C-alpha cells in the first residue's frame, strides 16, 4: 500500500506545525507500507498523512488511501453502518483523543494513477457515505494525529467497482433518480451517451 507520511515533531516551531514544510516532506515520502505498519503509526501518534501523491504542488499522480473525516460519534457510526450494509471494506478507523473527530480509512486494492478516476472515486464515496459533503475526503488534505484512539483494526481493501450499486442506490434516496444521476455525471465531467455514463477512452468516436 502506498501513502505519503511524515512525523509532525520534525516540523514544529514554537509549538506550531509548519504546514508548507510538512507538505513538501510528505510529497517526498511516498512510501510502500503494509496495513499493520500503518496501524502502528496511527496508534503511536505524532504523524501526518496525505493520501494523494503530488510530484509538485498541483499535480496528483496517484492515490490508494481514502480517508473519510467526520465530526461526532453518531455520524461516524452512520458511515460504519453504510459500509457494512454495502459490503465496502474498511481498512481501519481512529479518532482524536477527545472523540471529536473520527476518521475512517478505506484502502483501494491498488494505487489509482489517473487523477480523473481518483476524483470520481472521492465523489462516489462522499455521495454514498456523507450525502455529498465533499469537504470530508480530499487528495491533498493533511491528516494530522498526535493523540489518537485506534477504533478498528484492518479488515481489508475495496475496489471502485464495488461503489456503483451503492452510488445508484444513493440517487434514489432524495428526489429524482435521473436528475441525481445526471447531476453527478455533470459535476464529475462524465460523458453521457444516450443517457448512459461513459468513462474511459472514446478515441473510436468521430470528431465533432
Amino acid at each position: 500500500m502506498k501513502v505519503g507520511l511524515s512525523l509532525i515533531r520534525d516540523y514544529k516551531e514554537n509549538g506550531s506545525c509548519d504546514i508548507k514544510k510538512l507538505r513538501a516532506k510528505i510529497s517526498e515520502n511516498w512510501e510502500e507500507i503494509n496495513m499493520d505498519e500503518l496501524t502502528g503509526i496511527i496508534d503511536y501518534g505524532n504523524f501526518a498523512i496525505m493520501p494523494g501523491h503530488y510530484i509538485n504542488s498541483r499535480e496528483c499522480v496517484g492515490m490508494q488511501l481514502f480517508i473519510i473525516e467526520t465530526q461526532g460519534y453518531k455520524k461516524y457510526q452512520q458511515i460504519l453502518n453504510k459500509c457494512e450494509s454495502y459490503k465496502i471494506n474498511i481498512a481501519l478507523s481512529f479518532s482524536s483523543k477527545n472523540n471529536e473527530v473520527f476518521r475512517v480509512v478505506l484502502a483501494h486494492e491498488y494505487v489509482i494513477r489517473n487523477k480523473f478516476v481518483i476524483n470520481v472515486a472521492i465523489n462516489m464515496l462522499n455521495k454514498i457515505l456523507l450525502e455529498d459533503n465533499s469537504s470530508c475526503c480530499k487528495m491533498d488534505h493533511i491528516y494530522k494525529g498526535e493523540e489518537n484512539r485506534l477504533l478498528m483494526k484492518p479488515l481489508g481493501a475495496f475496489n471502485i467497482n464495488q461503489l456503483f450499486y451503492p452510488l445508484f442506490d444513493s440517487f434514489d434516496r432524495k428526489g429524482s433518480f435521473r436528475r441525481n444521476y445526471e447531476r453527478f455525471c455533470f459535476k464529475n465531467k462524465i460523458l453521457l451517451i444516450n443517457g448512459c455514463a461513459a468513462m474511459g477512452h472514446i478515441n473510436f468516436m468521430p470528431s465533432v
Side-chain angles (χ1 to χ4, degrees), residues 94-147:
F94 61 100
S95 72
S96 58
K97 187 178 180 180
N98 55 14
N99 280 342
E100 289 182 357
V101 178
F102 292 82
R103 288 159 180 164
V104 176
V105 181
L106 305 175
H108 197 259
E109 290 178 351
Y110 53 86
V111 177
I112 301 176
R113 300 193 179 278
N114 183 297
K115 188 176 180 180
F116 173 80
V117 177
I118 293 170
N119 267 317
V120 172
I122 287 173
N123 287 327
M124 290 173 82
L125 288 168
N126 283 329
K127 181 68 176 172
I128 295 164
L129 302 177
L130 298 167
E131 298 184 356
D132 239 357
N133 186 353
S134 57
S135 65
C136 295
C137 181
K138 295 183 177 180
M139 314 178 209
D140 61 349
H141 185 72
I142 294 178
Y143 298 90
K144 294 182 290 183
E146 297 182 62
E147 293 183 343

Side-chain angles (χ1 to χ4, degrees), residues 19-183:
I19 294 297
K20 187 175 180 180
K21 289 182 180 179
L22 185 60
R23 188 180 296 276
K25 187 63 177 178
I26 290 174
S27 296
E28 293 173 8
N29 290 347
W30 180 250
E31 299 179 14
E32 180 81 42
I33 64 173
N34 61 45
M35 193 56 69
D36 288 335
E37 289 171 325
L38 180 61
T39 301
I41 290 169
I42 290 173
D43 206 21
Y44 172 74
N46 206 44
F47 71 94
I49 292 175
M50 186 167 70
H53 182 205
Y54 281 77
I55 57 173
N56 55 49
S57 60
R58 291 172 294 187
E59 187 177 355
C60 179
V61 295
M63 183 162 158
Q64 189 169 9
L65 283 188
F66 294 78
I67 302 177
I68 311 293
E69 183 175 279
T70 190
Q71 305 285 329
Y73 183 78
K74 184 177 179 181
K75 289 184 179 180
Y76 165 70
Q77 192 60 52
Q78 288 172 348
I79 291 173
L80 296 188
N81 291 342
K82 286 179 181 178
C83 286
E84 182 178 6
S85 174
Y86 291 128
K87 295 181 171 55
I88 300 172
N89 283 331
I90 296 172
L92 55 93
S93 67
F94 61 100
S95 72
S96 58
K97 187 178 180 180
N98 55 14
N99 280 342
E100 289 182 357
V101 178
F102 292 82
R103 288 159 180 164
V104 176
V105 181
L106 305 175
H108 197 259
E109 290 178 351
Y110 53 86
V111 177
I112 301 176
R113 300 193 179 278
N114 183 297
K115 188 176 180 180
F116 173 80
V117 177
I118 293 170
N119 267 317
V120 172
I122 287 173
N123 287 327
M124 290 173 82
L125 288 168
N126 283 329
K127 181 68 176 172
I128 295 164
L129 302 177
L130 298 167
E131 298 184 356
D132 239 357
N133 186 353
S134 57
S135 65
C136 295
C137 181
K138 295 183 177 180
M139 314 178 209
D140 61 349
H141 185 72
I142 294 178
Y143 298 90
K144 294 182 290 183
E146 297 182 62
E147 293 183 343
N148 311 286
R149 294 177 63 248
L150 192 65
L151 303 175
M152 183 182 294
K153 293 188 176 180
L155 296 179
F158 81 101
N159 189 289
I160 191 172
N161 293 323
Q162 296 174 264
L163 303 182
F164 286 103
Y165 169 74
L167 179 67
F168 291 160
D169 189 48
S170 74
F171 293 154
D172 249 345
R173 289 181 203 153
K174 293 180 182 178
S176 162
F177 175 90
R178 174 55 61 180
R179 191 177 298 114
N180 290 332
Y181 175 70
E182 291 176 349
R183 187 181 294 124

Side-chain angles (χ1 to χ4, degrees), residues 164 167-168 171 178 181-182 184-185 190-200:
F164 286 103
L167 179 67
F168 291 160
F171 293 154
R178 174 55 61 180
Y181 175 70
E182 291 176 349
F184 183 87
C185 291
I190 298 172
L191 179 66
L192 285 171
I193 301 177
N194 296 327
C196 296
M199 289 177 61

